[in-house]
Amino acid sequence: MTNRRVAVAGFQHETNTFVPFRTGFAEFRMADSWPRLLRGEEVISGTMGLNLPVAGAIAQARETGGVELVPILWCSAEPYGLVTDDAYRRISEMILEGLWNAGPVDGIYLDLHGAMVTESHFDGEGALLAQIRRQVVPDLPVAVSLDLHANLSAELVDHADAITIYRTYPHLDMAETGSRAMRELLRQMNGVTRRAAFRQAPFLVPLHAQFTGKAPGSRLCQLLETLPADTDESVELAMGFTAADVPDCGPSVVAYARSDQRAGALADRIMSELCSSEPEFNVPLLEPHDAVRTAMVLEGTVIIADVQDNPGAGGTSDTTGLLSALVDLQADNAILGVICDPDTAERAHRVGTGSTFSGKLGGKSGPEGQTPLEGKFRVLGISDGRIAYSGEMYGGGLAEVGPSCLLSVEDIPGDVRVVVSSVRTQCLDRAFFSHFSVDATDAKIVCVKSTVHFRADFEPISSAILNVAAPGFFPCKLAEVNYVNTRRAVPAVP
């Protein structure tokens, strides 16, 4: 029996249109929390064993057997501002050229995000699918895996034969989502055909409220699992990425079944449950000083999430609102990670472990009004920034965040320690502290620049989790956001 040939490619970016910076080709080439740009067989070897959709898709194809994989390209860049036209064109052309040169294939799997915005396209993924259909394969089955925070468009749904979406946040099922996409692609290559129904919600959900570990997120995910009646049916829910001011921003549902009527019924059932759950998505945010005061009197280890400066959602990861609150209130046994400040990291490396220096930490590229924390700092440790993840979400992977250090603030009676990197990175893993011999379970207050992903590794050690609204480029108070392009000018959920 002749093997079926499946082309595999990935192009991932979650774009924050409120960040006044651009994401260029260099950001896609470099390694950060995910691997560098990979081509050809490197797509397989460079992602093997990781919790990535492309890795799950490849593993599924090999497990099924009878499949010849044709790896083209895979790349991602840390979430940030608009993808430049240059970067988008160059990577899209690599994928298109790879598909042209692959020879006859029976299907295509694409590992995409669903919230890519470029200088010229509100919907980068939809535009890429349209190019592939127009220039390479108008009729072949194409399966796509997407992030839970995708802003789905009709164009993307129309050009994909199958879409699968993460069902967990933190994203513990990325590899499984790729596996589901590959399974559906192989079924379609065997002749199975389905109809699609697409629905969009009339409101937005802030990301800190999209957590699937409790209701309403957990309830919606359970319904996605139980509602389909057979293997020819599936329902996928995207919660949307609210920092992308685009017409398709917001939650949406895509359902597949053997008839238009049944697909529509499935989509309507999930959309009805989503809309009835809207009030439950109103998750409060504290001001930084209030959060620190609360944490100081609670028992056990308290996690404070700096949700609006999450580099995993496009934040600069150098705002000082929460850090200043720790210092102002002379917090004791507090740790914070990760502030991106390459100049401070370089200086710490220059003076060496055990030395002190006066300087300005953070506050160098964040929102207007943010200023550095000026003070005296002691260098407790330095590193090349190659940090092995140990938590469930990224375990087995490697963060490459450049020259890094652990500092203590020496100007206060309290004990405030800060992990500093040279490359933006989301603090979603305790490894960012343990790498510097700091056990987060021994800390009274643990501050993380993350929105929800930190919960996978930090929630099990916490007595409480507090979300703060310190200034940052990733807005979570949505009623205060000046949206221009969304399909609803003012979100229903604040």
Side-chain angles (χ1 to χ4, degrees), residues 2 5 32 212 296 391 397 402 461 478-479:
T2 303
R5 304 185 79 236
D32 41 48
T212 59
M296 291 171 71
I461 68 167
L478 301 187

Side-chain angles (χ1 to χ4, degrees), residues 337-397:
V338 175
I339 285 185
C340 179
D341 189 335
D343 293 338
T344 296
E346 189 276 333
R347 189 169 181 188
H349 277 248
R350 191 169 65 246
V351 301
T353 301
S355 300
T356 60
F357 65 93
S358 296
K360 298 179 180 181
L361 175 60
K364 293 163 183 157
S365 62
E368 183 178 353
Q370 279 293 287
T371 57
L373 176 72
E374 295 189 47
K376 186 178 181 180
F377 305 98
R378 182 176 299 277
V379 182
L380 302 180
I382 58 176
S383 165
D384 64 0
R386 291 173 57 84
I387 299 174
Y389 288 112
S390 57
E392 182 179 2
M393 183 170 167
Y394 277 2

Side-chain angles (χ1 to χ4, degrees), residues 11 13 15 21-28 77 80-92 116-121 124:
F11 186 7
H13 194 254
T15 307
F21 308 107
R22 293 291 188 265
T23 305
F25 184 65
E27 282 70 44
F28 286 97
Y80 214 32
L82 294 174
V83 176
T84 65
D85 284 344
D86 172 70
Y88 184 76
R89 175 188 56 79
R90 291 170 71 174
I91 296 169
S92 296
M116 181 192 297
V117 188
T118 78
E119 291 175 323
S120 296
H121 299 290

Side-chain angles (χ1 to χ4, degrees), residues 13-23 77-82 113 207 241 243-244 307-319 365-367 424-426 449-451 472-475:
H13 194 254
E14 185 177 66
T15 307
N16 184 328
T17 62
F18 298 107
V19 177
F21 308 107
R22 293 291 188 265
T23 305
E78 193 76 7
Y80 214 32
L82 294 174
H113 183 282
L207 258 72
F241 184 61
V307 298
Q308 296 193 139
D309 191 35
N310 172 16
T316 55
S317 197
D318 79 334
T319 63
S365 62
R424 292 180 310 120
T425 189
Q426 182 175 180
K449 287 186 178 288
S450 177
T451 305
F473 277 123
F474 176 58

Side-chain angles (χ1 to χ4, degrees), residues 18 31 39 42 45 54 82 141 159 174 195-196 292 304 320 366 374 385 394 406 415 421 444 467 477:
F18 298 107
R39 302 192 72 174
E42 289 182 332
S45 61
V54 67
L82 294 174
H159 286 307
M174 291 187 287
R195 307 294 293 175
V292 173
I304 303 179
T320 55
E374 295 189 47
Y394 277 2
L406 175 68
D415 172 22
S421 69
K444 172 63 180 172
N467 295 313
K477 291 186 173 182

Side-chain angles (χ1 to χ4, degrees), residues 460-475:
I461 68 167
S462 69
S463 62
I465 291 177
L466 308 175
N467 295 313
V468 302
F473 277 123
F474 176 58

Side-chain angles (χ1 to χ4, degrees), residues 325-340:
L326 293 172
V327 172
D328 290 346
L329 297 171
Q330 299 180 8
D332 192 38
N333 194 12
I335 56 178
L336 185 149
V338 175
I339 285 185
C340 179

